Amino acid sequence: IIEKRLRLVTGICIGLPIYITNIYDKDNKFIARVGSVSGRTSNLNIASYTNEMKKVLSQRLRFNITAKTLEELEKKNSRYKRALNFYNDSFYVADTGVRFTLLFSSLESLFNLTGNKVKKNIANYASKILFLKESEEVIYKKRLENYYKIRSYYIHGNNPKTINEEIEFNLREIVRKVLLIYWSISQSIFIKEPKDVLTYLDENDRNTIDLQLQIFIKMLDVKEYSEFYNEVREKLLSGRRNIM
């Protein structure tokens, strides 16, 4: 679950092939030492981390998503559990097309509840949950519809279209944000059932969601936290309750 959480927060294939943990009681008395060896690794060494990746890690690791809340959501929402598993498994596949397919399967797990109008529903809800401006939401909806076509050609076509790394990366960033905001909705609005999440998305937009969710969504793209803090503080002190 630690690896899942780190990959969800960062969007980078962080692996913990070996870990050792010391356990202490409330009086700081040593109780036991536990450890494990994973059969999978991230295939990333220190030399693989570019300056840009280091910046991303520094920014995104500030998010505080506890393993406990993630596990609780997985237990209560099997669709989210499958979606998170697809997202995580996509890091371990060499073929770009297969990674792309797994990422799209993550969205399908969350938003294809009936099997009807699959492309429309996935594109609609995956763009709505980002709580973008109306013009931006339209752009993302069309992009996801196009990605669904590419995914379908890849799976069913005799001559599938080439899925390059740029398209796969763009979809990965969308899926990461969708999973994070979905988690945030479950925590701030206390919604766990998949159909209730869709109902919430139908009934709300960026102008009606609560302040806690607004701040979380805004923070997904923040690079300078001091500037963000000052901006939010100024708006709240002036009486504004919408910072989107």
Side-chain angles (χ1 to χ4, degrees):
I1 191 68
I2 296 176
E3 289 181 330
K4 277 186 178 183
R5 183 168 61 88
L6 290 173
R7 295 187 199 118
L8 176 61
V9 168
T10 65
I12 296 175
C13 186
I14 297 175
L16 302 173
I18 301 173
Y19 78 88
I20 297 175
T21 303
N22 294 328
I23 302 174
Y24 300 85
D25 65 14
K26 63 180 181 179
D27 297 319
N28 206 33
K29 183 180 179 180
F30 178 79
I31 298 176
R33 176 176 294 156
V34 296
S36 177
V37 177
S38 172
R40 302 194 299 185
T41 67
S42 65
N43 296 319
L44 280 175
N45 54 44
I46 295 176
S48 301
Y49 283 87
T50 64
N51 288 333
E52 183 60 30
M53 289 173 69
K54 292 175 184 177
K55 287 181 181 178
V56 169
L57 279 172
S58 177
Q59 293 160 5
R60 294 181 175 179
L61 284 175
R62 299 184 187 189
F63 283 107
N64 183 24
I65 295 180
T66 65
K68 181 180 179 181
T69 58
L70 210 53
E71 286 181 319
E72 288 176 350
L73 180 56
E74 284 186 307
K75 288 178 181 178
K76 295 179 179 179
N77 188 328
S78 62
R79 284 186 172 273
Y80 189 85
K81 181 177 182 178
R82 278 176 279 160
L84 190 56
N85 284 339
F86 283 132
Y87 172 79
N88 273 276
D89 288 344
S90 71
F91 286 100
Y92 287 105
V93 181
D95 186 272
T96 308
V98 177
R99 292 202 304 267
F100 185 90
T101 303
L102 285 169
L103 289 168
F104 219 99
S105 295
S106 182
L107 297 180
E108 191 165 354
S109 292
L110 295 178
F111 303 126
N112 178 24
L113 305 190
T114 64
N116 299 320
K117 300 179 180 179
V118 179
K119 179 179 70 175
K120 179 180 178 182
N121 284 335
I122 293 175
N124 180 46
Y125 287 112
S127 56
K128 282 178 71 69
I129 200 172
L130 300 176
F131 294 102
L132 303 162
K133 295 179 181 178
E134 187 174 347
S135 58
E136 293 176 333
E137 184 179 319
V138 171
I139 292 172
Y140 271 78
K141 186 175 180 180
K142 290 181 179 179
R143 182 179 299 169
L144 286 163
E145 287 176 344
N146 182 53
Y147 284 171
Y148 184 83
K149 292 178 183 178
I150 294 173
R151 168 257 187 206
S152 296
Y153 284 138
Y154 182 82
I155 295 175
H156 305 295
N158 293 325
N159 298 300
K161 293 183 178 181
T162 300
I163 299 175
N164 59 44
E165 291 188 0
E166 181 181 0
I167 293 177
E168 186 265 344
F169 174 79
N170 290 340
L171 180 60
R172 181 175 300 280
E173 285 293 286
I174 292 173
V175 174
R176 171 183 166 271
K177 284 187 176 182
V178 166
L179 288 168
L180 284 169
I181 297 172
Y182 197 107
W183 170 87
S184 184
I185 290 173
S186 77
Q187 298 304 303
S188 60
I189 316 299
F190 307 109
I191 296 175
K192 300 295 188 294
E193 290 293 327
K195 61 181 179 60
D196 293 335
V197 175
L198 300 195
T199 299
Y200 178 80
L201 296 178
D202 285 332
E203 296 176 349
N204 291 275
D205 58 27
R206 62 191 281 113
N207 298 311
T208 60
I209 57 177
D210 77 306
L211 183 60
Q212 182 179 341
L213 183 55
Q214 290 180 48
I215 292 174
F216 182 85
I217 294 171
K218 290 282 285 185
M219 286 180 64
L220 292 177
D221 295 313
V222 168
K223 295 183 179 180
E224 295 294 335
Y225 282 84
S226 59
E227 293 180 7
F228 175 71
Y229 170 81
N230 290 330
E231 177 190 346
V232 172
R233 182 175 181 274
E234 183 178 340
K235 288 180 178 179
L236 294 179
L237 289 175
S238 66
R240 294 179 58 179
R241 289 295 178 266
N242 190 303
I243 63 169
M244 298 293 286

